[in-house]
Amino acid sequence: MPRRSPLRILIPSCLAVCTQIAIAQDVAQAPVPPASTSNDTAKTLDTVQVRDQRQPYRNLSATGATKTDALIRDLPQSIQVLDAGLLRDVGVTDLKGALDLSATISRQSNLGGLWDSYSIRGFAGHPDFGSDYMVNGFNSSRGYNGVRDGANTNSVEVLKGPASALYGRGEPGGTVNISTKKPLFKAANTLDLSIGSFDVYRVAIDSTGPLSETVAYRLNAAYEDGKSFRDTIEYDRYLIAPSFLWMISPDTTLSYEIEAVRQNAPFDRGVVAVNGQLGVVPITNFYGEPNDGQHQTNSLGHQVFLQHWFNENWSLQTGVSYRKSTLEGASSEVRPYFALQAGDILRRRYRDRNNEATDISGRFEVIGKIATGAITHNVLFGVDGFSFENPRRQNAADPTGTNYGIDLWNPVYGAPKPGWVPTTQTDEDQKAYAVYVQDQIDLGPHWKALVGVRYDRSKQSFNNLLRDLIIRQEPSATSPRVGLVYQPNEQWSFYATTAKSFRPNTGISAPDVNGDSFSFDPEQGKSYEVGAKWDTGRVSSTFAVYQIEKENVLSPDPADPNNYNQAIGAMESKGVELDVSGQIAPGLRLYGSYAYTDASVTRDNATIAGLSLIGRQVANVPRQAASLLMFKDLTLSGRKFSVGGGLRYVGEREGAAAAFSESNFFQLPSYVVWSAMASYDVSDSLKLSLNAENLFNKEHYVSSYSEYWVMPGTERRLTLNAVIKF
């Protein structure tokens, strides 16, 4: 496939920067609210305010994942906001690092390090793609988009529990929405430079300002390259993300955002748990082939969003998202089952991938207020739809014996490539449309309610070219949501909510004895939750207790996990969560997250060789997890000096995502890793910081797929960072 040059994006963006610098002194600068800091209590989601010289502040961008400007305390839902200040203090540069701050979220097997994969409340999503997430309310994870960089991230919002009443297909455990940085009508330029352990170098730029009285721009760009603590691993990736905001009138705005991503990284499945035991072989051992080269991921996305206010009570918002992505590369991988041969030689498979995806989605929504006596209805009416095309081409070779093996203890590279054959040639098309309505009802000074319902209809076509087999289905679903909030005073909110979710399953089953395959019914979920929120203005916290059930759950078919899935039946997740953040004393900031998650299989419709999964813990989901960070702000030579640190605890977890026999099950051990941070404002234009990850160099394992594919966590890593404002 042809490589797409970033110059078509970079050149006009750089011209915008030059234009801004030239005219910045001549354009009337409008005041803007201060940037979010980690000790601010999050009140609303994705509220980006831009000052029009003729009107009061208004939300001029797509509202956040809730699609309204409702306060978090008024919603019957547990919502965790990882804001820009917190991400900056911790030194987070990607989505994976941000989500590690939420105990509700646990890492999953990430396709050899090529994309982000996680579960929320024990639910991990489709096994053939990275986990679902949204960008500005649009699904942006369908396809092949690599490890998401955080250079243009303003906040990460974790909406726990089903969101199908608003967004349709999705996991009942929750939804992640990334709010991007928006153009501002005040000039600001920042250069961010980092150097760290394992020869990691990173440069990022954030430039924003007015192009005229009604048009503003923002350019976020980042480039990072480096090595790993693991042998032979090197990578590089870049992000270029220009965006523009046009205030067509005092009541109408149009925004346009671009994201161009390229990632080059080798395919790395991790290490081996020898006879189910970890720590036997060094965590640095790489069992692939450096001569395979790197997998290249390319993704180019566009978002256009129009917002118009008819009056103070009614508005419309509509937008379109388009994303084209590709994944190409070769890999040598240890077989996921029974790979250990005589003489401690691991059997390997050779694979060559050439996949692409095109994702187009759009939505149209009307938001308004209707007062009926003492009751106010905050209503949302919407329609949306998407089209997703996914051609996948893969060749593979599975040499018998040790012809393409590698030594477990002393990997030696350079084996001649085996002959391969086509194993995957599929074309999958998905189309869907939906209508939905939501009403947030103010019942009085102490009571609020939320009701919503959505109807989805999908069309799916799966064409297996190798077998000349086409399977079609047209699933539909209705997703209701009901919640109630009681607020005895301004600080406390108590809520209860229930909702349903669904996700159309993709792919087909392995051929049966007659050679027939079939599609899968959609996943269906049901959730019940109660909780309490406490917000003093400086400190906010949420306590939640929930139970979620999901049916028609898919898992990779152990007989051929690369091409087929199986329906394991049903699973259930029950848990307790506590999130706390804010300024607990002058100059002392705290961020804490705890989760108890009991996620297991409750019904098994596809036992293999007599193996039942009932009662098994969901892979990679710990029963207990916690994250705690504290920061102290001091003064040194008249300048701000901050020190901080914390820990992340992950409990013991099941390691086998798809088991063939009882011997495939094994446990990932629990671990605690510590971190430390310090920063100093050298001047008004220069800030230096030093971050230490895994401070005590704890050997640990963050995720796995099988005992032959276990990903170790990073060794101790130090990063020195300089932020220059100009």
Side-chain angles (χ1 to χ4, degrees):
M1 298 180 184
R3 296 184 179 182
R4 295 174 176 81
S5 170
L7 296 180
R8 288 180 297 173
I9 302 168
L10 183 58
I11 289 176
S13 301
C14 291
L15 288 175
V17 175
C18 296
T19 303
Q20 184 274 328
I21 293 173
I23 68 173
Q25 300 301 321
D26 298 325
V27 177
Q29 302 295 312
V32 296
S36 171
T37 59
S38 58
N39 61 340
D40 292 337
T41 301
K43 296 296 184 181
T44 61
L45 296 182
D46 191 22
T47 306
V48 180
Q49 296 174 318
V50 180
R51 176 70 168 175
D52 174 29
Q53 296 174 2
R54 297 155 291 180
Q55 296 290 330
Y57 284 116
R58 288 195 181 192
N59 177 10
L60 298 183
S61 68
T63 50
T66 63
K67 297 190 177 185
T68 70
D69 59 359
L71 300 178
I72 290 178
R73 67 186 299 269
D74 293 342
L75 297 172
Q77 187 175 16
S78 177
I79 299 174
Q80 202 172 5
V81 180
L82 311 173
D83 70 11
L86 174 64
L87 301 181
R88 182 174 59 249
D89 287 344
V90 181
V92 166
T93 60
D94 56 22
L95 178 61
K96 173 181 61 180
L99 297 182
D100 278 346
L101 301 174
S102 174
T104 300
I105 297 178
S106 54
R107 294 199 202 180
Q108 297 287 316
S109 182
N110 58 8
L111 192 67
L114 299 187
W115 58 35
D116 296 300
S117 188
Y118 54 85
S119 65
I120 305 179
R121 289 182 170 178
F123 298 96
H126 195 280
D128 291 338
F129 295 102
S131 298
D132 287 345
Y133 61 82
M134 298 182 296
V135 175
N136 301 322
F138 289 100
N139 187 297
S140 295
S141 59
R142 287 188 290 255
Y144 309 95
N145 302 299
V147 174
R148 183 167 180 88
D149 195 278
N152 67 331
T153 296
N154 182 65
S155 66
V156 178
E157 306 154 0
V158 182
L159 277 72
K160 304 176 186 180
S164 292
L166 279 181
Y167 290 103
R169 53 187 299 145
E171 283 299 316
T175 300
V176 171
N177 182 66
I178 299 166
S179 298
T180 57
K181 298 176 181 178
K182 306 301 181 184
L184 301 176
F185 281 87
K186 180 178 181 180
N189 301 284
T190 301
L191 180 65
D192 194 326
L193 304 172
S194 297
I195 181 173
S197 304
F198 317 120
D199 295 329
V200 174
Y201 301 90
R202 178 181 174 86
V203 57
I205 187 171
D206 183 358
S207 178
T208 187
L211 296 174
S212 69
E213 290 188 354
T214 58
V215 178
Y217 84 96
R218 192 155 194 163
L219 173 64
N220 292 107
Y223 176 81
E224 180 177 325
D225 70 57
K227 300 178 182 178
S228 168
F229 68 99
R230 292 182 41 72
D231 295 341
T232 79
I233 301 298
E234 298 184 21
Y235 72 93
D236 64 82
R237 65 174 183 257
Y238 73 67
L239 163 73
I240 302 174
S243 60
F244 303 90
L245 175 68
W246 177 22
M247 297 186 64
I248 300 174
S249 74
D251 297 310
T252 308
T253 61
L254 180 68
S255 65
Y256 174 42
E257 300 188 19
I258 304 171
E259 286 186 348
V261 175
R262 175 170 292 175
Q263 173 183 285
N264 295 294
F267 197 93
D268 180 16
R269 288 290 195 184
V271 297
V272 175
V274 181
N275 297 321
Q277 296 299 310
L278 289 162
V280 179
V281 297
I283 62 173
T284 56
N285 278 9
F286 175 62
Y287 295 113
E289 277 290 334
N291 293 336
D292 288 338
Q294 297 179 315
H295 273 64
Q296 183 175 105
T297 303
N298 289 284
S299 178
L300 179 60
H302 305 261
Q303 286 189 7
V304 178
F305 198 86
L306 176 70
Q307 196 162 13
H308 174 73
W309 289 267
F310 298 102
N311 51 48
E312 292 301 317
N313 293 327
W314 289 91
S315 66
L316 69 81
Q317 51 191 31
T318 182
V320 177
S321 175
Y322 171 89
R323 188 174 294 270
K324 180 77 172 181
S325 60
T326 61
L327 174 65
E328 301 175 76
S331 63
S332 300
E333 310 163 40
V334 176
R335 295 293 301 273
Y337 303 101
F338 310 112
L340 191 60
Q341 302 294 303
D344 295 334
I345 299 299
L346 296 167
R347 287 180 59 192
R348 294 189 301 178
R349 166 187 291 137
Y350 176 78
R351 288 198 283 191
D352 178 82
R353 297 175 179 83
N354 191 337
N355 302 337
E356 64 179 54
T358 303
D359 187 14
I360 305 173
S361 59
R363 68 176 187 255
F364 181 91
E365 297 166 333
V366 175
I367 301 174
K369 292 185 178 182
I370 302 174
T372 56
I375 299 176
T376 300
H377 299 267
N378 302 277
V379 295
L380 166 69
F381 304 94
V383 296
D384 66 22
F386 76 87
S387 173
F388 178 63
E389 299 177 355
N390 179 212
R392 303 176 69 188
R393 305 293 183 264
Q394 186 177 126
N395 306 307
D398 288 309
T400 59
T402 60
N403 294 335
Y404 197 59
I406 192 166
D407 191 276
L408 173 67
W409 310 102
N410 183 31
V412 177
Y413 311 114
K417 294 291 183 290
W420 48 261
V421 296
T423 56
T424 301
Q425 291 189 8
T426 60
D427 292 336
E428 185 165 7
D429 295 334
Q430 303 175 31
K431 292 179 172 59
Y433 64 87
V435 295
Y436 49 97
V437 60
Q438 177 180 277
D439 188 3
Q440 293 173 303
I441 309 169
D442 295 334
L443 298 171
H446 301 297
W447 291 93
K448 300 180 185 298
L450 186 149
V451 294
V453 65
R454 175 184 172 110
Y455 175 77
D456 283 86
R457 188 167 185 85
S458 304
K459 292 184 178 181
Q460 298 173 253
S461 173
F462 187 89
N463 186 357
N464 188 328
L465 302 177
L466 293 178
R467 296 177 55 201
D468 192 24
L469 174 68
I470 300 178
I471 295 180
R472 296 185 176 90
Q473 63 174 344
E474 296 187 12
S476 61
T478 300
S479 305
R481 178 188 184 192
V482 179
L484 186 66
V485 178
Y486 172 62
Q487 298 171 329
N489 53 48
E490 293 184 357
Q491 294 186 352
W492 283 97
S493 295
F494 300 92
Y495 70 91
T497 184
T498 183
K500 289 186 176 181
S501 68
F502 87 103
R503 173 195 289 274
N505 279 319
T506 61
I508 58 176
S509 67
D512 59 20
V513 293
N514 298 317
D516 296 327
S517 295
F518 56 87
S519 58
F520 301 101
D521 292 334
E523 293 180 346
Q524 296 182 346
K526 185 182 297 184
S527 172
Y528 306 92
E529 181 175 341
V530 295
K533 302 178 184 182
W534 181 62
D535 190 340
T536 67
R538 288 185 173 271
V539 178
S540 64
S541 63
T542 300
F543 176 79
V545 180
Y546 66 87
Q547 177 178 344
I548 306 173
E549 302 168 351
K550 186 167 78 164
E551 298 181 341
N552 303 325
V553 180
L554 293 190
S555 176
D557 190 330
D560 190 353
N562 304 302
N563 297 306
Y564 300 107
N565 295 314
Q566 62 173 354
I568 64 172
M571 61 177 291
E572 179 184 64
S573 178
K574 298 176 290 185
V576 178
E577 298 165 341
L578 175 64
D579 299 319
V580 182
S581 64
Q583 184 170 303
I584 59 176
L588 183 62
R589 291 168 282 133
L590 175 144
Y591 181 87
S593 180
Y594 168 80
Y596 171 82
T597 309
D598 182 9
S600 61
V601 176
T602 56
R603 189 172 70 246
D604 185 359
N605 294 334
T607 59
I608 296 180
L611 175 66
S612 175
L613 302 176
I614 294 176
R616 288 286 182 181
Q617 184 183 8
V618 176
N620 296 294
V621 179
R623 280 192 167 85
Q624 297 198 66
S627 175
L628 179 65
L629 293 167
M630 294 189 70
F631 300 91
K632 178 62 177 177
D633 297 330
L634 306 167
T635 300
L636 180 63
S637 300
R639 295 283 181 179
K640 181 181 177 181
F641 175 63
S642 295
V643 293
L647 62 87
R648 179 162 51 92
Y649 168 75
V650 177
E652 189 177 61
R653 296 138 288 153
E654 172 59 51
F660 185 81
S661 70
E662 191 72 30
S663 63
N664 294 141
F665 292 111
F666 72 106
Q667 293 292 304
L668 296 177
S670 62
Y671 64 87
V672 176
V673 291
W674 292 82
S675 58
M677 311 90 180
S679 65
Y680 179 57
D681 292 349
V682 179
S683 66
D684 291 340
S685 60
L686 175 62
K687 179 178 181 178
L688 297 178
S689 61
L690 178 65
N691 290 1
E693 182 181 352
N694 193 4
L695 182 63
F696 301 112
N697 206 25
K698 170 72 173 179
E699 183 174 297
H700 62 292
Y701 303 87
V702 296
S703 66
S704 68
Y705 180 88
S706 78
E707 59 187 327
Y708 294 99
W709 295 350
V710 182
M711 185 56 63
T714 186
E715 294 179 343
R716 178 171 47 239
R717 181 166 56 189
L718 303 178
T719 303
L720 178 63
N721 173 255
V723 176
I724 306 168
K725 298 179 181 179
F726 58 96

